[in-house]
Amino acid sequence: MTKINLSTLQAMKQRGEKIAMTTVYDACFAQVQTQAGVEVLLVGDSLGMVLQGNDSTVPVTIEQMVYHTRCVKQGAGNALILADMPFMGAATVEMCLSHCQQLMQAGAHIIKLEGDAWLAETIQQLARNGVPVCAHLGLTPQSVNVFGGYKVQGRSDVQAQTLLAAAQQLEEAGAAMLLVECIPAELTQKLTKRSKIPVIGIGAGPHCDGQVLVMHDLLGITPGKPARFVKNFMQGEESIASAFENYVKAVKEGSFPAAEHGFE
Ligand code: KIV
């Protein structure tokens, strides 16, 4: 795989070639996933749940995100590293700039911020300082206490219009990528058509420029009942490496996600 950067992803969107993204938290899995053809490695704050055993991502700290980003960097090869800003990490622009500096100096190429249209000013400041941003919209897990659970977003017309307007505002502010979680497939389709930047989905249907899955879900080792949008790619496979290869293939050929993984 040649070195992946934002221009590579932009060109993939234009060609209609799907982008494969997975979460990862250490060097060993970073290497396996990159060799399987994953273009973007997300050092997700989901580590608070899948590694630390918490019931949300809220307890994750900037020090922990920096540590795991540094670990992933060691095995990432030519993949692009996207690192999560933890809960309240972008509460002020100054705080956000300092956290981005730490994450990028640890190896991140782009930073993911959960939020809404209010992030526009922060994204402008980050863009001026050489920090590319992926804006995470829809079900933003850090706001689980506001949503009252992990619920599908953007179902009403008002919610859908608000999300589309926020995405446009954030793109105009300089966002380099959008990630949408648990929104109806039809809304993702509209958003992907309108956006000039790559749109990555999770529980957002097949009509985006790429897909992301939490690696523990992909390998079928998350305890409890899997979410509707999850597929266990380890089933029928002999090795972890082939499970990741199978995921990449399914994303590229458009067989994942299928209709049953999405929301109407
Ligand atoms: O932290 C994470 O793993 C994420 C994904 C759910 C997209 O943000």
Side-chain angles (χ1 to χ4, degrees):
M1 183 163 72
T2 54
K3 190 95 190 136
I4 306 294
N5 56 38
L6 289 172
S7 311
T8 321
L9 302 182
Q10 196 62 46
M12 287 174 76
K13 176 177 173 100
Q14 258 127 38
R15 285 200 300 275
E17 184 185 341
K18 299 277 186 185
I19 299 164
M21 185 190 292
T22 45
T23 70
V24 61
Y25 318 100
D26 66 26
C28 176
F29 274 106
Q31 192 172 0
V32 173
Q33 293 178 26
T34 305
Q35 281 171 359
V38 173
E39 282 107 2
V40 187
L41 301 174
L42 168 60
V43 189
D45 64 354
S46 48
L47 68 87
M49 300 172 83
V50 295
L51 300 191
Q52 299 173 343
N54 298 304
D55 63 0
S56 80
T57 58
V58 170
V60 178
T61 65
I62 185 65
E63 289 77 18
Q64 291 163 353
M65 290 309 304
V66 169
Y67 170 79
H68 286 282
T69 302
R70 197 170 285 129
C71 294
V72 167
K73 166 80 181 155
Q74 302 308 315
N78 284 337
L80 189 87
I81 302 176
L82 168 62
D84 250 338
M85 181 64 65
F87 177 64
M88 293 283 286
T92 66
V93 175
E94 290 69 29
M95 196 194 268
C96 186
L97 282 167
S98 159
H99 291 163
C100 288
Q101 179 182 16
Q102 294 176 59
L103 289 168
M104 291 190 73
Q105 288 179 343
H109 302 109
I110 169 166
I111 308 298
K112 179 158 77 62
L113 302 182
E114 291 187 15
D116 217 321
W118 60 267
L119 283 173
E121 192 202 329
T122 307
I123 290 176
Q124 264 173 3
Q125 287 286 346
L126 294 177
R128 272 187 217 132
N129 283 279
V131 180
V133 170
C134 169
H136 184 158
L137 304 171
L139 170 55
T140 46
Q142 290 169 10
S143 301
V144 61
N145 293 305
V146 175
F147 295 142
Y150 297 100
K151 296 177 184 165
V152 178
Q153 302 295 308
R155 274 198 153 136
S156 71
D157 277 354
V158 173
Q159 277 189 353
Q161 290 312 322
T162 306
L163 191 142
L164 289 172
Q168 189 180 342
Q169 216 175 321
L170 299 180
E171 183 174 336
E172 284 167 7
M177 193 189 292
L178 298 171
L179 189 150
V180 283
E181 180 165 351
C182 290
I183 63 169
E186 210 178 289
L187 176 56
T188 312
Q189 187 169 25
K190 269 190 202 150
L191 174 65
T192 306
K193 225 169 165 184
R194 289 180 187 191
S195 304
K196 293 193 182 66
I197 53 178
V199 178
I200 309 295
I202 176 164
H207 310 292
C208 22
D209 301 307
Q211 293 291 329
V212 59
L213 263 190
V214 170
M215 58 166 274
H216 292 64
D217 290 343
L218 186 157
L219 296 175
I221 54 172
T222 306
K225 186 173 178 276
R228 181 185 166 94
F229 56 80
V230 166
K231 181 172 173 186
N232 176 359
F233 283 90
M234 196 67 208
Q235 230 156 29
E237 295 297 330
E238 282 177 1
S239 72
I240 286 175
S242 59
F244 285 115
E245 281 162 16
N246 196 7
Y247 166 74
V248 172
K249 183 167 172 282
V251 168
K252 299 277 175 198
E253 68 188 19
S255 59
F256 177 78
E260 78 242 31
H261 300 118
F263 302 98
E264 293 305 318

